[in-house]
Amino acid sequence: MQIETIKWVSGAVRIIDQTRLPLQLVYLDCRDVETLAQAIEELKVRGAPAIGVAAAYGVVLSVWGQEDISQELERKVRCAVDRLSHTRPTAINLFWALEKMQRAFTQSRGEEPERIQHLLLQEADRIFEQERKVCQKIGENGAALLEDGMSVLTHCNAGALATAGLGTALGVIYAAKSQGKRICVFADETRPLLQGARLTTWELLQNEIEVTLICDNAAAALMRTGRIDAVMVGADRIARNGDVANKVGTYGLAILAKEHRIPFYVAAPLSTLDMKLADGSKIPIEQRSPEEVTRGFGLPTAPQEVKVFNPAFDVTPGELVSAIILEKGIARNPYEPTFERWVR
Ligand code: MRU
């Protein structure tokens, strides 16, 4: 099943409103930058590559249908980039895409407004297409690591809903399936926003992949009883040494995987690498509202006045990662020399 997470439809960024899944498959047309920025903040569109692609189209929205002189367009693009870059801090794909859009705008200086709109849309389409194709490659590369009959544990959602293509971690599962391998997936529910329960299971069921939902805290017992053959997750940002920021809880899984001698794989596009960071200590970790923990989905589950720590992501040290699957191939520790070669 082809899931169209993001689509440009003449003057609007059409996204699946992921906060409504799995109960309803509802599309939302964002016609201005503010609506799109809020959709990103509220996780209506989420997942590192999807955020990047959506933001690229967001920049197109800022100039769409405008007949202003170029200084005015420049101001609008600057405001759009500024607003979008303040939505979510951890996924570097957002900043990667915005930088590309800004460069495309700079190169279009002096052109007629209509031409500028066209050039920016072309650039956003290029980003979309690149990210779509990259999922395919990641899937093919990663599938070599999975054997027929394996059980794979995943966390959060790194599937089609998180990208412009088939997904990264789930892209590997889809590729393995298309090679005739039977893969069973265990999906962590992923507290507090339940991306695993709501999105990963929905998406895998749509694609006829066997999936079992578990509470996050059941992973250790599953591993101990030999029911997990590999862990496969996505990433929001990867430092030069292979430290990986991903959905909070990923680090714990990596430690568990090491203890139980289970391979721990990360699948991500090169656009998720942050070659400016030597290690993961400087990756900005998004802190989200306490209500996500105390009143998840509207139901009070803790005293209202309790203090809450709610980071959206954590950082897994590169030495706990068995391999990072990218579109160029499979990288292993030490990561830096391979990354250097592949980003060139
Ligand atoms: O807060 P989210 O739902 O945007 O977090 C998403 C993740 O942590 C994903 O694993 C990551 O972005 C990779 S998506 C291919």
Side-chain angles (χ1 to χ4, degrees), residues 138 158 168-170 172 232-235 238 265-269 323-326:
I138 292 171
T168 55
L170 298 191
V172 172
M232 183 78 66
V233 295
I238 302 174
Y265 300 124
V266 173
I324 300 182
I325 306 155
L326 296 137

Side-chain angles (χ1 to χ4, degrees), residues 260-311:
H260 296 94
R261 296 193 172 77
I262 295 166
F264 181 91
Y265 300 124
V266 173
L270 284 168
S271 55
T272 302
L273 296 188
D274 186 347
M275 294 301 281
K276 290 200 191 100
L277 294 185
D279 60 54
S281 60
K282 299 253 164 32
I283 296 179
I285 300 295
E286 177 183 5
Q287 299 293 325
R288 294 192 59 91
S289 94
E291 286 74 32
E292 288 182 353
V293 181
T294 57
R295 300 183 61 90
F297 305 94
L299 182 71
T301 52
Q304 212 174 350
E305 65 278 18
V306 73
K307 269 198 293 185
V308 172
F309 174 56
N310 185 23

Side-chain angles (χ1 to χ4, degrees), residues 18-334:
Q18 299 189 32
T19 59
R20 309 279 289 271
L21 285 171
L23 297 182
Q24 289 166 316
L25 177 57
V26 175
Y27 293 87
L28 176 70
D29 283 354
C30 304
R31 297 188 180 278
D32 57 72
V33 175
E34 187 51 34
T35 308
L36 181 69
Q38 285 179 20
I40 294 174
E41 285 166 344
E42 292 164 11
L43 273 58
K44 289 179 173 162
V45 57
R46 33 84 29 220
I51 294 172
V53 173
Y57 284 119
V59 176
V60 182
L61 283 180
S62 72
V63 298
W64 200 253
Q66 311 284 331
E67 286 168 11
D68 300 319
I69 51 161
S70 67
Q71 283 97 319
E72 188 50 20
L73 282 187
E74 187 165 348
R75 194 190 60 77
K76 286 183 171 156
V77 167
R78 212 177 325 113
C79 286
V81 169
D82 184 61
R83 176 68 184 97
L84 291 162
S85 64
H86 283 90
T87 50
R88 300 195 70 192
T90 306
I92 193 167
N93 310 61
L94 170 68
F95 306 95
W96 169 85
L98 289 175
E99 223 175 275
K100 276 179 171 287
M101 293 305 291
Q102 219 157 10
R103 209 171 310 135
F105 179 72
T106 308
Q107 282 164 3
S108 73
R109 264 212 189 103
E111 301 281 359
E112 291 297 312
E114 211 172 307
R115 175 91 185 126
I116 294 177
Q117 293 169 29
H118 172 76
L119 289 170
L120 286 188
L121 180 58
Q122 219 174 33
E123 182 64 7
D125 283 343
R126 237 193 315 265
I127 292 171
F128 177 99
E129 199 47 27
Q130 175 179 338
E131 293 294 78
R132 190 188 66 76
K133 285 195 185 134
V134 150
C135 286
Q136 197 77 32
K137 289 300 292 174
I138 292 171
E140 284 162 19
N141 293 338
L145 298 167
L146 300 183
E147 286 163 29
D148 186 30
M150 273 190 166
S151 286
V152 178
L153 175 66
T154 192
H155 190 63
C156 195
N157 172 268
L161 287 167
T163 66
L166 285 175
T168 55
L170 298 191
V172 172
I173 312 267
Y174 297 139
K177 184 193 177 204
S178 71
Q179 293 172 0
K181 297 174 187 168
R182 282 155 304 157
I183 306 291
C184 303
V185 177
F186 283 93
D188 270 355
E189 64 177 353
T190 317
R191 283 273 296 149
L193 295 182
L194 306 184
Q195 288 93 331
R198 295 185 302 105
L199 309 177
T200 295
T201 60
W202 179 81
E203 169 175 344
L204 289 172
L205 290 172
Q206 299 288 320
N207 287 287
E208 293 170 4
I209 305 266
E210 190 184 328
V211 57
T212 305
L213 175 64
I214 61 165
C215 295
D216 299 330
N217 34 17
L222 262 187
M223 289 189 190
R224 189 167 170 83
T225 49
R227 295 181 61 196
I228 302 292
D229 300 304
V231 180
M232 183 78 66
V233 295
D236 283 78
R237 199 185 285 232
I238 302 174
R240 278 206 310 270
N241 69 340
D243 289 358
V244 174
N246 190 48
K247 178 56 57 195
V248 67
T250 302
Y251 174 39
L253 286 182
I255 295 172
L256 289 174
K258 185 178 181 202
E259 171 68 17
H260 296 94
R261 296 193 172 77
I262 295 166
F264 181 91
Y265 300 124
V266 173
L270 284 168
S271 55
T272 302
L273 296 188
D274 186 347
M275 294 301 281
K276 290 200 191 100
L277 294 185
D279 60 54
S281 60
K282 299 253 164 32
I283 296 179
I285 300 295
E286 177 183 5
Q287 299 293 325
R288 294 192 59 91
S289 94
E291 286 74 32
E292 288 182 353
V293 181
T294 57
R295 300 183 61 90
F297 305 94
L299 182 71
T301 52
Q304 212 174 350
E305 65 278 18
V306 73
K307 269 198 293 185
V308 172
F309 174 56
N310 185 23
F313 302 97
D314 61 22
V315 176
T316 300
E319 60 265 21
L320 293 182
V321 179
S322 313
I324 300 182
I325 306 155
L326 296 137
E327 60 267 40
K328 293 261 176 128
I330 296 172
R332 291 184 193 267
N333 208 11

